[in-house]
Amino acid sequence: MSTVAAELDLALGDPLRPSGPLTFAQAVADDQDEQVPELSLRALRDWGYQRYQVPESVGGRLSSLEELMSLGRVVARRDPAVAVIANSALAAAMPVWLAGDAEQRKAVADSVLGGRRVALGLTEPDHGADLLASEVTGSLESEGYRLNGTKWLINNVRPAQYLCLLLREPEREGLRSLSLLLVDLDTLDPATYELLPRIHTHGVRGADIAGITFRNALVPASARIGRPGRGLEITAQSLLVTRTLIPGLSLGALDTGLRCTADFVRRRHLYGKAVEEIPYVQDELAAVFLDAMVAEAVSRSCVRILHFLPELSPVSSAVAKYLVPHMAEKAMGRLARVLGARYFLREGHWSGIFEKLLRDVRLFGLFDGSEPVVLSALAAQVSCLAERDVDPRRADDVFRPGHATVGNAIAPGVFDAVADDDPVTTDLLAVCDALDERSRRGDALRDAAGALREAGADLFEGAQRSVDPRSQAGQRLGERYARVFAAVCWAKSWLADSARVPPEWAAAGLLALLRPHVRMPQPVSAALFGELTRQFSHQPSFPSPRVAAKETPAW
Amino acid sequence: MVASARPAAAAVSASLERALGDPLDKDNIAGFRHSVEADRAERFPRELCDAVFEWGLAEYLLPEQEGGEFRAIEDCFELARVLSRRDLTAAVAIGATVLASLPVWLRGSARQRRAAAARIREHGFLAFALSEREHGADITAGEVTARETPDGWLVDGTKWLINNAGHAHGATVAARTGDGIRALTLFSLSRPSADDGRWTPLPKIRTHGLRGSAFGGITFTGLPAADADIIGRPGQGLAILMETLQITRVLVGGFALGALDTCLHAVLAFARERTLYGRPILALDAVAVRLADAYADLLIGEALGLGACRAVQAAPDQLPLTSACAKYLVPQLAAESMDSLAVVLGARSYLAEEHWHGIFEKMRRDCAVTGLFDGSAPVNLNIIAEQLPGLASARDGADRDAELLEIFTPEPPPAAWLTEIEFELATDADGILRGVSAARRVVGAEGGTECDEALGELLRWCEAETARLDAEVAEERGRPGWPRSGAAYDLAARYSLLHAAGACAWKWLAWRGHPSAGEFLTGGTWLRLCLVRITERLGRPRDDLDASHHAALRHLEQVHDEHQFFADITRR
Ligand SMILES: Cc1cc2nc3c(=O)[nH]c(=O)nc-3n(C[C@H](O)[C@H](O)[C@H](O)COP(=O)(O)OP(=O)(O)OC[C@H]3O[C@@H](n4cnc5c(N)ncnc54)[C@H](O)[C@@H]3O)c2cc1C
Ligand SMILES: Cc1cc2nc3c(=O)[nH]c(=O)nc-3n(C[C@H](O)[C@H](O)[C@H](O)COP(=O)(O)OP(=O)(O)OC[C@H]3O[C@@H](n4cnc5c(N)ncnc54)[C@H](O)[C@@H]3O)c2cc1C
């Protein structure tokens, strides 16, 4: 974890306090009341969180997306709803950071640094993922764009000053028919638009989600972000970044879910013993712990790809967005079963935070590209595996230990909507050989390397046939790609820094990705549970200056 | 309704369904809008319960002895399912009353039965007070005590996590009266009419689902009880609980299947009306597969539930195993299906009041409870795992096949009433799983069509898988800690799927010759659909969409257009 994230964690204090901003009690109370979590948001503002929502180049502090992800994770550990709201400025304004002109960037930066929110208007009532079907129109007239139509399910649209709006230019057609505008709602004639009522949700109940209807609203032509007709491309590029960052929020929720459960099983006594002594309970917690470690490594690799290998982010963003929320949701389901009735209660143990986390994490798989959508995006990318003469060293920085600190990850011209090749996955055989070198004959690592070779062969073979990305075969191909890509990331991360993770765990991690339904060998499970217990005893709740400051697997 | 043998029973659930009216009518108190509204306000759906009682529900909850119509567990299951399609909060509250009354029907005195019947006829709720704050599945560790005094018994202590605790007029209470396996005694107690501090309901507990429930706790402070309030004899509590739970574990499946039925309807409607990329999303494979799979899960749960319901009265020796399999698997299938359907529904799965008034979101939260109470997933997997070594060495026994076929028949003969049943602690030989071999023999003998060949292959795969599993059990069972390990529970979960395959196979064998069964069932497509799904879960690779999936989707749409229960399929 980055130093800044550790600082934030410390500044926010113990989330188990009976009350106060960013405590579990506060999170549960805000959720219950469907209240915007103002108290917690204010605490973040006081700390200066919004500075990390604005790139350094325009006066903010954001230089490392890896650091930003850690920050989001720290907040999501306490309240994912707060994390969604607090991180929406960067995500919603992404079209501006990536394609806006200097004036637009400055204006949005000032607004965000001043504590205002930003909204991103893509979705409409009748059109979800099919953005090309958008019905909100903006006709270019002499005074500017004349807007009509309804955007719906828009986070923060009511409090926001700026709205990045995707619309159709009626004169244009096909892939270049959409443009993005930066709408200043403070100056828009209130008679020409209407903010729709708040929409209540399953999780993140504190978020202010609503819609907006335009009726002949007029915005100046200078509000356009980028060139005319480039709305779809800019949106696709923006999603590369947000899809890569969302996993941080899943990881944060899972961190707390795991701790909350670990705490329960040592306190609860059944059949004359602590519940944590039941072998099933140990095995389940060990499996979740391993999944959390793997998901963390995959997230970290993918976020570093944004910095060091941005041309691969069309692939890595889809892998991260599919796999990490998916694994986190499954892991939370397992933990719920271990918690038993306590997971169903909105009070009691840890203020009932688990129940809320369970609902909140479900959002992360859903928005900004649902599972089928990102899998079909991946399936559409498999052709980049055919490019075999690729220099794997291009990915070296991604897996180098230590924190990524580089400027200007988010800047115009960095991202492209498709990848030409994949220097990570095409290095699979060399990675397997390296794993073999570290293993002894017949041991777990060698078996896992074998499984990776097999999965790789299967993927490369599948990539040669043409499939419709939206077909079921396409979905499965996308999933295979995601798992193999993630497995290579995990292996490369381990090969680059194997000090903290024994080879048996590395092997089990590979298999957790490639064969998610197969349980790890009992001795590995026991060792992992031991490590979990050790870490938990050191740091039952966060933060702790000693542990939080250095990187720890999963927690 | 599904497979109900007594036409009368089918007529009863159909009549309740009609009485409940259009679920999409926003003014209907048995409609989704009301259900969601009450849940958001954390208000008990009293009006709906009243309406159901006015329709005449009480009679179907009371045994013949008390002048009621409750003859078969299956009838209860079907009624639970009809009501669960509308509102699980109401269904589960009434279910808790059934749970509390079962020990009385099973082992209670005539006086206790009369009293319980009278309360139910007054539309009163009963509580089943077993759990305590510090003791969940470890039933014998309970701390609520009943002390014997010269004037009778005094009950003290707190029961917690108790449904209906807030509004119950009476409760079946498990209290400690001794030690060891005879530690517990069950009392059938009435809430004193005066609020004198001897029976104190605790504040409502806030929950993930069922938010309108009167869910909480009860503190007893020197509450007097007479010998005549004891159900059975002192010290028999645990034994009676074991019997009761074997029955209720079967019934819980009805809640889950009703909820899944509604979710499937809601999502199918969405998939047909939502247009993306120029076509309804049902045209997307990713959507079609999820719908067909959820439908298969519903049918599997239904076959397993049917067998388990019938086993209570017709084959109680099968009950220790099949009730645990049904209790583990049916809620699990429903939960997994809902997760998958949520993906299809997209953002709307996350919204509290959109599409069909937000019923999907509520059903999903509510249904999660079915995996928890009356024995959570780990507890049932434990029960299955403990029986696996014995079962593995008892795979013969074809002599009972005729009897098992009879259990799944569309029109079963009248069965023994609950008091005549001899409950057992474990199942020695799994007759339900034998359906796989029985069906394989039939398919092998007939053979020929593409579907028969696919079926034969699937059934043989299940047989081989059973053998693999048995071998693994034989190898692992001696390992220290094994019966409660993750590995053992994985095997138990896999076993429950094979067991469900057996139930599907028996149902197919029993129904395919019946005049009411349609081509979907008789032709084997139904069984193929179920087996493809089951074996896929067990790791067998499958085709994306085969003939059985296309047939399933056609049926889904047809049933949906006719506003029916998806389960009704087998009646055509
Ligand atoms: C809490 C919340 C906050 C949100 N905030 C915002 C926001 O601030 N701004 C904003 O613009 N939007 C926002 N959204 C909308 C969100 O991003 C939508 O979920 C998204 O636009 C997709 O729409 P949909 O879920 O209605 O599904 P649809 O896109 O209508 O899809 C329906 C189903 O079709 C299938 N499908 C679709 N495409 C494919 C494909 N390519 N391949 C295979 N199957 C496919 C999938 O099964 C999918 O679930 C928010 C949503 C929620 C729940
Ligand atoms: C909505 C709702 C309604 C309820 N209604 C009632 C009611 O009306 N009456 C009533 O008496 N109770 C009721 N309950 C309580 C319910 O039956 C309890 O959940 C049950 O007693 C188990 O207790 P527990 O979940 O607290 O888990 P515990 O039994 O305390 O177990 C905790 C954890 O230990 C582990 N564990 C326990 N046993 C095993 C095992 N054998 N093998 C492996 N791991 C194990 C599991 O991980 C389990 O989750 C209700 C619960 C809910 C949520």
Side-chain angles (χ1 to χ4, degrees), chain A residues 84 92 119-131 151-156 201 203-204 207 209 363 366-377 469-471 475, chain B residues 270 274-277 281 284-287 290 342-348 350-351:
Chain A
V84 166
L120 176 63
L122 308 176
T123 306
E124 301 181 5
D126 292 331
H127 311 288
D130 185 8
L131 294 177
K151 290 289 178 184
W152 189 72
L153 271 188
I154 311 303
N155 194 11
N156 285 324
T201 46
V204 298
I209 294 157
L363 178 60
L366 195 79
F367 73 171
D368 287 354
S370 65
E371 212 172 287
V373 170
V374 288
L375 287 180
S376 62
R470 284 182 199 148
S471 69
Q475 295 278 307
Chain B
F270 177 75
R274 180 77 162 176
T275 301
L276 287 186
Y277 320 111
I281 58 167
L284 291 168
D285 277 5
V287 170
R290 286 175 193 272
V343 174
V344 176
L345 199 51
R348 280 158 186 78
Y350 211 73
L351 307 184

Side-chain angles (χ1 to χ4, degrees), chain A residues 31-32 34 123-131 133 152-153 198-205 209 267-272 278-281 283-284 329-330 334 336-338 340-347 355 358-363 366 370-373 375 470-476 517-519 522, chain B residues 40 42 132-139 160-161 203-211 215 274-278 284-287 289-290 328 332 336 339 342-343 346-354 361 364-366 368-369 372 376-379 381-382 479 481-482 484-487 489-490 542-545:
Chain A
D31 180 83
Q32 165 70 20
E34 302 187 313
T123 306
E124 301 181 5
D126 292 331
H127 311 288
D130 185 8
L131 294 177
W152 189 72
L153 271 188
R198 220 177 124 185
I199 299 159
H200 296 292
T201 46
H202 175 68
V204 298
R205 285 162 45 115
I209 294 157
R267 286 166 195 260
R268 180 90 168 162
H269 279 72
L270 285 181
Y271 320 112
I278 300 175
Y280 158 81
V281 168
D283 291 340
E284 288 296 287
E329 243 183 81
K330 294 267 179 232
R334 285 179 106 149
R337 243 192 270 175
V338 172
R342 293 300 177 292
Y343 104 74
F344 207 75
L345 308 188
R346 288 184 289 142
E347 56 184 60
E355 187 280 329
L358 191 75
R359 283 182 286 108
D360 289 353
V361 286
R362 288 181 175 155
L363 178 60
L366 195 79
S370 65
E371 212 172 287
V373 170
L375 287 180
R470 284 182 199 148
S471 69
Q472 189 61 10
Q475 295 278 307
R476 283 193 293 115
H517 299 297
V518 179
R519 200 174 281 273
Q522 211 282 325
Chain B
R40 286 186 52 76
E42 306 192 3
E132 297 181 14
R133 197 183 285 267
E134 296 303 330
H135 312 285
D138 187 4
I139 296 172
W160 196 70
L161 288 186
K204 176 176 161 122
I205 303 169
R206 288 183 163 158
T207 44
H208 178 67
L210 306 179
R211 291 184 171 193
F215 180 61
R274 180 77 162 176
T275 301
L276 287 186
Y277 320 111
L284 291 168
D285 277 5
V287 170
V289 166
R290 286 175 193 272
Y328 162 70
Q332 180 72 20
E336 286 177 19
D339 286 351
V343 174
R348 280 158 186 78
S349 71
Y350 211 73
L351 307 184
E353 292 159 312
E354 300 296 327
E361 190 272 335
R364 189 183 188 193
R365 278 186 288 107
D366 290 352
V369 80
L372 275 176
S376 62
V379 168
L381 292 172
N382 193 176
R479 204 158 54 70
W482 182 78
R484 281 198 178 162
S485 67
Y489 289 10
D490 289 349
R542 70 177 251 193
D543 294 333
D544 297 328
L545 284 165

Side-chain angles (χ1 to χ4, degrees), chain A residues 29-266:
Chain A
D30 287 335
D31 180 83
Q32 165 70 20
D33 297 342
E34 302 187 313
Q35 283 290 340
V36 174
E38 292 295 355
L39 190 67
S40 298
L41 287 167
R42 200 169 328 123
L44 282 185
R45 250 196 321 275
D46 292 347
W47 182 81
Y49 196 86
Q50 64 284 0
R51 290 172 304 172
Y52 293 90
Q53 295 289 304
V54 175
E56 250 178 2
S57 56
V58 276
R61 287 245 177 127
L62 176 64
S63 60
S64 160
L65 293 169
E66 188 179 357
E67 180 173 271
L68 180 69
M69 184 182 234
S70 300
L71 285 171
R73 181 172 175 180
V74 162
V75 179
R77 282 171 170 182
R78 294 145 185 278
D79 186 347
V82 173
V84 166
I85 300 169
N87 285 295
S88 64
L90 181 86
M94 197 60 71
V96 176
W97 310 135
L98 293 183
D101 60 31
E103 213 169 301
Q104 288 171 331
R105 291 157 63 84
K106 177 82 172 63
V108 174
D110 289 348
S111 177
V112 172
L113 292 171
R116 295 292 299 273
R117 303 211 190 108
V118 186
L120 176 63
L122 308 176
T123 306
E124 301 181 5
D126 292 331
H127 311 288
D130 185 8
L131 294 177
L132 275 176
S134 296
E135 286 180 79
V136 168
T137 54
S139 323
L140 192 52
E141 300 174 356
S142 52
E143 311 100 298
Y145 282 98
R146 183 73 64 188
L147 310 184
N148 278 294
T150 297
K151 290 289 178 184
W152 189 72
L153 271 188
I154 311 303
N155 194 11
N156 285 324
V157 69
R158 285 150 32 104
Q161 175 182 3
Y162 285 109
L163 166 70
C164 291
L165 177 70
L166 185 71
L167 50 72
R168 160 180 311 287
E169 292 202 45
E171 314 72 45
R172 308 182 139 269
E173 274 177 27
L175 292 171
R176 290 275 160 87
S177 60
L178 305 179
S179 294
L180 274 160
L181 299 187
L182 180 64
V183 180
D184 182 349
L185 295 172
D186 282 2
T187 59
L188 196 66
D189 178 357
T192 60
Y193 75 97
E194 181 190 353
L195 293 171
L196 303 178
R198 220 177 124 185
I199 299 159
H200 296 292
T201 46
H202 175 68
V204 298
R205 285 162 45 115
D208 187 342
I209 294 157
I212 183 168
T213 297
F214 300 99
R215 294 192 191 89
N216 287 321
L218 188 69
V219 293
S222 62
R224 199 184 49 243
I225 303 169
R227 302 216 311 268
R230 297 303 166 102
L232 195 61
E233 275 164 74
I234 300 170
T235 303
Q237 291 165 11
S238 302
L239 286 173
L240 300 182
V241 183
T242 48
R243 283 178 182 170
T244 309
L245 290 172
I246 285 173
L249 307 188
S250 296
L251 290 176
L254 182 55
D255 284 343
T256 297
L258 185 49
R259 277 163 188 276
C260 174
T261 310
D263 187 52
F264 172 74
V265 300
R266 45 166 62 182

